[in-house]
């Protein structure tokens, strides 16, 4: 008797706990639709495909659409976002000239201003087991499924008390007549218990235990509870090391559609699988699966769930399998790694490991696909151009939004589907000349001393480092004499940068780098001025995001919202900004970085990017051409690309020759806004006739130094190798001619800066 | 009571011949209490060493459901404010109109001196635990956007529609909702100074003074010649400085807020 009480407790604990054993669902960003939005027909079609919308003649069911060239009628799915529900609607949408030209309510009524499509499921996070599930409530279960299930598996489900003696008797009779086990007499409740609690042994004792526990379950819980648990629990297939439990997930896995969108033939197939998911595996054994499905259809007809006509039509239908859906575990491994880390950093462990959280990420599948494509197609060309063996080069890319610091895409290697070493997050490589904008920003933050046209000496530098001399060279091994500041950046002159950086102070530059978002300790050594510090592409993206956002750093984030299983928001990842640099000085630096593209080391971009799209960027090359970088931004996107080798041998590519074309391929294929043309307070556009902007207020002299001399000539790649290793200055390098006496200026209040 | 019969029989049988029962969860059960596996990948880089102006790690604010926010009496706006229909024309006048109440609140509150580094007083620095789940249902769908249609002849811009919705949420005390709506608008129009200004105002209302001032500065950098937006930004910055105990800075900012 005690044992009976014990089992009762086991049943209760398991059943109650079971209902919440759900992994977190991870979603991509939803696509926003509004008139005027840049959107190509292909992008929209791709998004609908990705979401598993089906193209039909007349869209009646949610998750379907009709298309006539560039005109779409979309029956959207309702979707619960963190800030409320986007209701189901019939949307008329016309695309013209790469934009949404019209957005209407196809069912009549006022036209919507703004509509979100449902968010694509990109992953489930399994905290402890490789298990996946799409939770269904009793009310979510389609009538057809429930009736068929009862007709096929347990005719007296709604009457019996857990076991069905009549069914057992019938099974015994059938089995005796056939001389082997052809029919089971288990009720749905017994099957649930079997799935829930017990091992796979087939003994009489186990059968009795099963029956007993089924009885207890029936006593404790209603038929609807049991049905709901069954629908979520039943094992229906195996996807690699992922077990497919429940009808909801199975529908995604086999048909790439939610359960309420499948028809009679598909429903029958799911029920057919209950008997033996691996034996009737429809992808491997289609004949067996069809045979079993048709048998189920006969039983459905017999149970008067469907008509003879429907049964006939369904029997003639193919299995209807579709790839792609419900198999999120393989996609976007690099991005998801970032999501996991940020979840672990910002959330308590116990919140993450239970309760079917909804994690709404910032991933933009369109941008991600473009970034992957850029790397996948360009790397073989690069290898071919140097006669390298295929697979020699590796690459990584990060794309973020400017304003909110949202990570839109992460590519961790040239094989983006491979969840291996994530170079975007974990490859720490010397950044070379990518640091130069920070050096120039530090200088331009002292408008009393420096303007874009200030002269800086691009002459030999010689510093004693330990007992060695450090004599950085320019890429072309020449010194260019006195050059205006902006040109030194555009041409990436090493000697000019070192001279400028030493006069500003290496310490100040290291501090600026930290406040712009580099989370590690930066060694304060002169070689820092040429990028002798190692960062991951993601960290570089943070620094350039700060530049792109006018000096306002937003911590890069991959998660927008986390909701609990019922859709209520748990914690906000809010947009936060912090001023890391003066807006006016950032504006000047950005202007100089535009010259990198217009007349400097990145002019090749002009051929790739659409006309009118202004961009700012910087090439980066390290010692012996090991690392090839390009980092830059448009008005709304920051992108960082690294190309190199995993073994850290020379890649033989400069930043302009390796990473830049990849960057161009990625950005040219994306919707981009041009750089903001409204200058911040205190900026005067155009200096003299040269149209070089300068900081008006405070600065002693408007246009300093030699006025915009040395017009652009040639498009040589003037990258210079950076030098690794700590070095100590023996004597200060020659100072560039200060325009005015340098008053000490400390950044005391981050938000007072620049006003 | 036919139900009890099989159970009774089974109980009697089982009392005699018990098989060992599995105590652990069967394979597919995800136990919420089990620790998560240690991350295979390297831990995220350590936060930067604390320094005067050093970057702060991501601030994560504990979510407060709108239903709870609404219950805080002094956050409920005056009826006149709620009645303001923030069309574009009214919006232009709004900083002068709707803001004094907020400004007064900030100014008349006791001059609690908050160290600059701690200004985000409301923001828990530690990992926020999931708040107690409210018994109420999820927030109702914001129908404002759906309702805001291009009816009045002119094309309503999506960012404007969201801004109007956010203003309604803010005035009804739903600050997290307002912030989420403004962030959505900023994804569409990231260079819109007014959206940044509205977000700053929401943070101000939430008591997140330092973050409000940062957002106001961001707005200023994009504001160009939108004098009313600039002035409201300066008033936010002024209030934040006063909160932080920077009287001189606050006066300077107030002067700019007056358009001087």
């Amino acid at each position: 008797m005690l044992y009976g009480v014990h089992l009762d407790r086991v049943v209760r604990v398991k059943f109650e706990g079971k209902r919440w054993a759900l992994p977190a669902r991870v979603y991509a960003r939803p696509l926003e639709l509004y008139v005027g939005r840049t959107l190509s027909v292909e992008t929209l079609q791709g998004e609908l495909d990705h979401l598993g919308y089906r193209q039909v003649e007349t869209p009646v069911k949610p998750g379907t659409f009709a298309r006539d060239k560039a005109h779409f009628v979309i029956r959207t799915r309702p979707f619960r976002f963190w800030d409320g529900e986007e209701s189901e609607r019939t949307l008329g949408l016309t695309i013209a000239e790469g934009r949404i030209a019209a957005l209407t309510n196809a069912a009549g009524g006022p036209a919507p201003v703004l509509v979100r499509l449902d968010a694509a499921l990109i992953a489930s996070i399994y905290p402890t087991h490789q298990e996946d599930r799409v939770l269904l409530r009793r009310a979510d279960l389609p009538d057809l499924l429930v009736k068929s299930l009862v007709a096929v598996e347990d005719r007296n489900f709604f009457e019996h008390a857990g076991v069905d003696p009549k069914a057992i008797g019938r099974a015994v009779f059938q089995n005796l007549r056939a001389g082997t086990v052809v029919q089971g007499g288990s009720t749905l409740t017994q099957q649930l218990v079997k799935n829930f609690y017990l091992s796979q042994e087939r003994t009489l004792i186990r059968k009795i235990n099963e029956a007993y526990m089924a009885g207890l379950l029936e006593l404790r819980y209603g038929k609807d509870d049991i049905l709901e648990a069954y629908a979520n629990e039943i094992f229906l297939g195996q996807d690699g090391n992922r077990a497919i439990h429940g009808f909801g997930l199975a529908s995604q896995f086999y048909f790439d559609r939610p359960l309420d969108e499948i028809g009679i033939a598909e429903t029958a197939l799911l029920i057919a699988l209950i008997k033996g998911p691996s034996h009737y595996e429809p992808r491997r054994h289609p004949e067996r699966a069809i045979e079993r499905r048709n048998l189920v259809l006969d039983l459905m007809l017999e149970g008067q769930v469907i008509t003879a006509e429907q049964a006939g039509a369904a029997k003639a239908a193919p299995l209807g399998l579709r790839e792609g859906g419900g198999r999120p575990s393989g996609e976007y491994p690099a991005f998801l790694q970032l999501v996991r880390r940020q979840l672990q950093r910002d959330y308590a462990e116990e919140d993450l490991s239970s309760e079917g959280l909804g994690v709404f990420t910032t991933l933009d599948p369109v941008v991600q696909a473009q970034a992957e494509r850029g790397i996948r197609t360009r790397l073989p060309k690069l290898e071919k151009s140097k006669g390298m063996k295929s697979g020699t080069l590796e690459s990584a890319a990060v794309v973020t939004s400017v304003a909110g610091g949202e990570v839109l895409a992460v590519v961790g290697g040239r094989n983006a589907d491979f969840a291996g070493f994530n170079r975007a997050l974990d490859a720490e490589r010397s950044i070379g000349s990518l640091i130069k904008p920070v050096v120039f920003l530090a200088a331009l933050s002292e408008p009393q001393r420096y303007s874009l046209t200030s002269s800086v000496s691009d002459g030999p530098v010689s510093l004693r480092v330990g007992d060695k001399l450090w004599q950085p060279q320019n890429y072309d091994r020449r010194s260019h004499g006195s050059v205006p500041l902006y040109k030194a950046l555009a041409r990436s002159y090493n000697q000019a940068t070192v001279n400028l950086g030493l006069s500003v102070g290496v310490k100040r530059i290291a501090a600026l780098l930290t406040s712009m978002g580099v989370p590690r300790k930066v060694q304060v050594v002169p070689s820092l001025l040429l990028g002798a510090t190692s960062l991951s592409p993601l960290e570089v993206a943070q620094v350039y995001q700060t530049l792109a956002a006018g000096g306002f750093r937003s911590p890069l984030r991959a998660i927008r919202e986390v909701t609990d299983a019922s859709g209520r928001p748990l914690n906000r990842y809010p947009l936060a900004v912090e001023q890391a640099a003066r807006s006016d000085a950032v504006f000047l630096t950005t202007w100089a970085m535009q010259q990198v593209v217009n007349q400097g080391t990145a002019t090749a971009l002009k051929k790739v990017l659409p006309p009118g799209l202004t961009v700012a960027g910087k090439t980066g090359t390290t010692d012996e051409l090991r690392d090839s970088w390009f980092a830059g931004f448009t008005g709304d996107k920051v992108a960082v690309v690294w190309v190199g080798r995993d073994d850290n041998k020379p890649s033989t590519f400069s930043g302009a020759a390796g990473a830049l074309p990849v960057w161009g391929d990625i950005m040219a294929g994306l919707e981009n806004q041009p750089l903001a043309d409204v200058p911040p307070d205190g900026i005067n556009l155009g200096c003299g006739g040269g149209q070089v902007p300068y900081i008006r207020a405070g600065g002693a002299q408007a246009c300093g130094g030699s006025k915009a001399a040395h017009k652009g000539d040639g498009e040589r790649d003037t990258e210079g190798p950076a030098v690794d290793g700590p070095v100590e200055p023996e004597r200060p390098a020659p100072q560039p001619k200060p325009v005015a006496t340098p008053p000490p200026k400390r950044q005391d209040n981050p938000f007072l800066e620049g006003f | 009571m036919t139900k009890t019969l099989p159970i009774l029989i089974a109980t009697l049988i089982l009392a005699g011949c018990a098989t060992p029962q599995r105590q652990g969860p069967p394979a597919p059960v995800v136990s919420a209490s089990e620790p998560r596996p240690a991350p295979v990948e390297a831990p995220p880089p350590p936060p930067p060493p604390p320094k005067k102006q050093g970057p702060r790690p991501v601030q994560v604010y504990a979510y407060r459901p709108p239903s709870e926010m609404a219950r805080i009496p002094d956050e409920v706006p005056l009826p006149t404010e709620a009645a303001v229909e923030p069309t574009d024309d009214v919006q232009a006048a709004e900083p002068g109109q709707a803001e004094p109440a907020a400004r007064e609140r900030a100014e008349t509150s006791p001059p609690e001196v908050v160290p600059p580094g701690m200004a985000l007083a409301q923001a828990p620095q530690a990992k926020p635990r999931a708040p107690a789940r409210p018994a109420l249902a999820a927030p109702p769908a914001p129908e404002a956007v759906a309702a805001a249609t291009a009816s009045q002849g002119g094309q309503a811009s999506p960012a404007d529609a969201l801004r109007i919705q956010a203003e309604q949420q803010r005035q009804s005390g739903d600050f997290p909702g307002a912030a989420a709506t403004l962030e959505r608008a900023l994804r569409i129009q990231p260079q819109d100074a007014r959206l940044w200004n509205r977000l700053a105002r929401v943070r101000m209302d939430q008591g997140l003074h330092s973050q409000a001032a940062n957002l106001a500065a961001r707005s200023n950098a994009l504001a160009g010649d939108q004098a009313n937006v600039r002035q409201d930004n300066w008033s936010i910055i002024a209030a934040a400085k006063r909160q932080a105990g920077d009287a001189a800075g606050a006066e300077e900012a107030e002067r700019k807020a007056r358009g001087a």
Side-chain angles (χ1 to χ4, degrees):
Chain A
M1 217 51 207
L2 268 179
Y3 183 65
V5 175
H6 163 71
L7 276 193
D8 182 46
R9 199 177 54 87
V10 170
V11 165
R12 248 187 11 237
V13 168
K14 293 277 170 69
F15 191 81
E16 299 291 338
K18 194 69 200 169
R19 290 199 281 187
W20 287 108
L22 288 168
R25 321 294 295 170
V26 184
Y27 297 95
R29 66 89 188 92
L31 184 67
E32 301 264 14
L33 303 173
Y34 52 89
V35 173
R37 187 208 157 108
T38 323
L39 187 71
S40 68
V41 172
E42 295 74 33
T43 306
L44 180 58
Q45 177 80 46
E47 181 81 16
L48 292 170
D49 289 346
H50 195 247
L51 287 169
Y53 277 59
R54 276 173 304 130
Q55 192 164 350
V56 293
E57 285 287 307
T58 322
V60 180
K61 281 187 169 185
T64 57
F65 70 100
R67 180 183 160 187
D68 177 20
K69 295 193 184 88
H71 181 71
F72 292 75
V73 176
I74 307 168
R75 185 75 186 159
T76 66
R77 295 191 186 116
F79 193 88
R80 180 173 285 282
F81 287 98
W82 58 91
D83 55 358
E85 184 152 331
E86 194 80 32
S87 52
E88 183 181 329
R89 63 174 91 215
T90 311
L91 203 64
L93 191 154
T94 309
I95 293 176
E97 289 163 5
R99 286 177 185 280
I100 299 180
L103 198 61
T104 59
N105 188 341
V113 171
L114 181 61
V115 175
R116 274 183 289 201
L117 292 181
D118 41 322
L121 179 70
I122 55 171
S124 301
I125 295 185
Y126 324 102
T128 52
H129 294 272
Q130 288 295 316
E131 189 205 8
D132 201 354
R133 203 172 301 225
V134 173
L135 180 72
L136 294 167
R137 307 253 168 242
R138 171 64 185 92
D140 302 334
L141 296 176
D143 253 12
L144 177 72
L145 177 80
V146 174
K147 283 185 186 157
S148 310
L149 191 61
V150 170
V152 175
E153 292 290 328
D154 187 359
R155 262 180 270 177
N156 298 318
F157 174 71
F158 289 105
E159 286 86 42
H160 65 63
V163 286
D164 187 356
K166 267 189 279 179
I168 293 173
R170 198 169 48 238
V172 167
F173 175 69
Q174 294 283 353
N175 293 349
L176 282 178
R177 208 173 59 171
T180 173
V181 180
V182 291
Q183 195 178 348
S186 289
T187 63
L188 291 181
T189 320
Q190 281 170 296
Q191 291 182 29
L192 175 62
V193 168
K194 192 167 84 184
N195 248 279
F196 255 36
Y197 309 105
L198 302 167
S199 58
Q200 289 304 313
E201 53 171 341
R202 298 177 92 179
T203 65
L204 187 61
I205 295 292
R206 203 200 72 160
K207 288 263 180 216
I208 292 168
N209 255 344
E210 234 174 74
Y212 174 73
M213 290 167 89
L216 285 178
L217 214 55
E218 291 275 350
L219 275 184
R220 288 246 170 235
Y221 305 100
K223 292 283 181 189
D224 282 347
D225 289 335
I226 291 168
L227 202 56
E228 182 183 293
Y230 182 92
N232 285 308
E233 181 57 33
I234 189 72
F235 174 65
L236 289 169
Q238 190 74 33
D239 177 26
N241 55 3
R242 189 170 71 126
I244 308 294
H245 284 270
F247 289 112
L249 184 63
S251 175
Q252 294 284 2
F253 174 61
Y254 291 113
F255 311 121
D256 190 13
R257 275 191 247 162
L259 188 62
D260 55 1
E261 290 177 21
I262 65 171
I264 293 171
E266 288 90 355
T267 304
L269 179 61
L270 290 184
I271 292 172
L273 287 169
I274 295 171
K275 190 146 182 269
S278 64
H279 185 76
Y280 297 109
E281 211 312 299
R283 290 193 173 97
R284 262 181 297 142
H285 311 295
E287 297 85 16
R288 279 186 210 167
I290 286 196
E291 199 184 320
R292 171 78 189 153
R293 182 198 68 181
N294 292 352
L295 183 71
V296 167
L297 284 166
D298 284 337
L299 290 169
M300 284 161 73
L301 176 60
E302 198 181 300
Q304 294 175 340
V305 179
I306 53 173
T307 65
E309 265 170 49
Q310 287 174 317
K315 278 187 182 179
L319 285 171
L321 301 177
R322 264 174 45 156
E323 296 293 333
R327 313 192 61 180
S329 44
E331 280 181 297
Y332 315 123
F335 182 87
L336 288 167
Q337 212 170 6
L338 181 63
V339 170
R340 274 173 193 274
R341 286 185 199 181
Q342 295 200 344
L343 279 173
Q344 280 166 2
R345 182 187 67 190
D346 298 322
Y347 283 80
E349 213 173 85
E350 52 270 36
D351 289 343
L352 297 178
S353 57
S354 64
E355 304 218 357
L357 302 173
V359 179
F360 291 89
T361 73
T362 57
L363 176 82
D364 187 326
V366 176
V367 177
Q368 176 75 28
Q370 181 66 21
E372 290 177 10
R373 190 161 43 236
I375 287 177
R376 195 174 53 235
T377 57
R378 179 59 71 165
L379 254 54
K381 290 182 198 164
L382 292 176
E383 282 163 346
K384 214 171 162 190
S385 73
K386 296 271 173 103
M388 280 178 179
K389 219 175 79 191
S390 174
T392 309
L393 292 176
E394 260 302 347
S395 182
V398 175
V399 184
T400 80
S401 79
V402 166
E406 293 193 331
V407 181
L408 307 175
V410 177
V411 187
R414 64 190 293 172
N415 183 357
D417 293 333
F418 176 63
F421 181 51
N422 191 341
R423 292 160 195 84
L425 272 49
D426 298 325
E428 289 157 15
R429 312 294 293 238
S430 284
I431 60 170
S433 303
L434 291 191
I435 201 169
K436 284 179 184 162
V438 181
V439 177
F440 284 72
L441 173 60
L444 292 165
S445 297
E446 299 178 58
Q448 299 88 342
R449 288 179 72 189
Y450 303 103
S451 73
L452 283 171
T453 47
S454 298
S455 285
V456 55
S457 158
D458 187 59
V461 186
S462 186
L463 297 175
R464 185 163 293 281
V465 184
D467 47 4
K468 272 191 265 175
L469 275 181
W470 183 51
Q471 294 173 309
Q473 294 287 322
N474 281 328
Y475 191 73
D476 57 3
R477 304 263 152 196
R478 292 195 310 154
S479 297
H480 304 87
S482 179
V483 292
L485 212 114
Y486 75 86
K487 183 171 274 190
L489 182 62
R491 299 294 173 81
S492 204
Y493 291 152
N494 285 340
Q495 293 176 338
T497 305
V498 171
N499 284 328
L500 181 67
L502 289 174
S503 89
V504 171
V506 180
K507 209 172 162 182
R508 184 164 297 188
I509 287 150
L512 181 58
L513 198 60
T514 303
S515 76
M516 289 173 82
V518 171
R520 61 185 75 229
K521 199 165 160 51
V522 179
Q523 264 194 311
V524 184
V525 291
S527 62
L528 175 68
L529 301 172
L530 296 179
T533 189
S534 293
L535 299 180
S536 70
L538 186 73
E539 288 165 344
V540 172
Q542 176 74 77
V543 173
Y544 275 70
Q545 184 274 329
T546 306
L547 276 174
F552 290 85
R553 180 175 55 83
S554 292
L556 294 187
R557 55 197 178 131
I559 300 163
R560 281 181 193 165
E561 301 279 346
V562 178
T563 61
D564 69 12
S566 55
R568 282 185 293 254
L570 287 188
N571 285 291
R572 291 267 302 117
Y573 269 74
L575 170 62
V577 299
E578 185 123 18
Q579 188 155 15
R582 300 170 51 130
S583 294
D584 49 7
V586 171
F587 182 85
L588 298 185
T589 309
T590 304
W591 187 89
M593 289 167 73
Q594 281 179 261
Q595 308 318 308
V596 173
V597 181
N598 289 340
Q599 50 168 289
T601 56
T603 46
L605 276 182
K606 282 193 289 191
K607 297 185 206 106
V608 193
L609 296 175
L613 178 62
T614 47
V615 301
K618 187 70 195 78
T619 49
T621 312
T622 60
D623 211 8
E624 296 177 54
L625 303 173
R626 288 179 203 281
D627 303 285
S628 166
W629 290 94
F630 193 80
F633 47 89
T634 62
D636 63 335
K637 288 188 187 67
V638 180
V640 176
V641 173
W642 168 85
V643 173
R645 295 176 58 156
D646 278 350
D647 58 13
N648 207 17
K649 285 187 180 144
S651 71
T652 74
F653 286 100
S654 68
L660 181 139
V662 178
W663 193 95
D665 289 351
I666 293 173
M667 285 301 231
L670 292 176
E671 296 149 14
N672 272 295
Q673 296 177 8
L675 294 169
D677 47 10
V678 180
D681 245 1
I683 286 287
N684 201 331
L685 292 171
C687 184
Q691 287 174 338
V692 180
Y694 61 94
I695 295 173
R696 190 173 49 230
Q701 209 171 315
C703 302
S706 55
K707 279 198 180 73
H710 320 288
K711 278 278 167 253
D713 49 356
E715 298 185 354
R716 282 189 315 274
D717 189 318
T718 45
E719 281 296 337
V723 180
D724 281 297
V727 284
E728 288 297 326
E730 189 205 29
R731 58 180 176 82
Q735 298 262 332
K737 276 167 265 171
V739 179
T741 37
K745 186 167 189 325
R746 286 301 306 157
Q747 300 187 354
D748 285 318
N749 195 317
F751 53 74
L752 199 62
E753 280 302 318
F755 298 104
Chain B
M1 287 323 284
T2 51
K3 269 188 170 187
T4 48
L5 189 67
I7 299 165
L8 205 66
I9 296 167
T11 311
L12 289 172
I13 296 168
L14 287 174
C17 52
T19 47
Q21 288 299 305
R22 289 181 49 180
Q23 293 303 308
V29 179
V30 175
S31 165
S33 58
E34 269 178 46
R36 289 165 62 75
V40 186
E41 61 269 8
K51 58 187 285 290
K52 275 168 288 172
Q53 319 282 318
R56 224 174 266 143
V58 189
Q59 302 287 348
V60 181
Y61 307 104
Y63 176 79
R64 282 208 284 162
S67 47
E68 276 182 28
M69 309 294 298
R71 267 185 247 119
I72 301 167
D74 60 341
E75 303 283 40
V76 175
L78 304 170
T80 50
E81 281 182 2
V84 172
E85 172 75 12
T87 63
D88 251 327
D89 297 340
V90 181
Q91 191 74 20
E94 185 198 35
Q97 209 177 57
E99 259 50 281
R103 193 152 58 229
E104 270 166 33
R105 265 209 301 278
E107 283 173 2
T108 53
S109 60
E112 174 192 350
V113 179
V114 184
M118 297 289 290
L120 273 162
Q122 259 83 348
Q125 299 292 320
K127 285 183 178 188
R129 293 277 295 107
R133 312 272 145 73
L136 290 155
E143 280 302 315
V145 174
T149 57
S151 51
Q152 285 124 355
Q155 279 285 356
S157 96
D160 281 347
L162 288 170
R163 182 166 49 77
I164 291 165
Q165 182 193 335
E167 191 58 24
Q168 287 163 355
Q169 287 171 306
R170 183 179 80 85
Q171 292 189 358
S172 69
D174 175 10
F175 301 128
T181 305
L182 287 166
E183 283 188 34
R184 189 179 169 197
L186 278 166
R187 276 181 217 118
I188 295 169
Q189 277 184 30
Q191 293 170 9
D192 187 330
R194 179 173 286 171
L195 293 175
W196 287 99
N197 164 266
R198 295 290 81 197
L199 188 56
R201 185 51 79 186
V202 170
R203 295 299 181 217
M204 202 67 197
D205 289 351
Q206 287 179 296
L208 303 167
H209 303 113
S210 161
Q211 186 52 232
N214 287 340
L215 291 162
R218 178 84 180 99
S219 175
N220 266 344
L222 296 164
D225 51 7
Q226 302 175 66
N228 57 331
V229 174
R230 282 174 174 283
Q231 286 174 19
D232 191 49
N233 287 331
W234 281 115
S235 82
I236 291 169
I237 292 169
K241 285 187 176 302
R242 208 163 281 288
Q243 279 288 323
D246 176 7
E251 263 167 47
E252 168 76 6
E254 273 156 13
R255 194 176 54 74
K256 290 182 176 170
R258 287 191 297 269

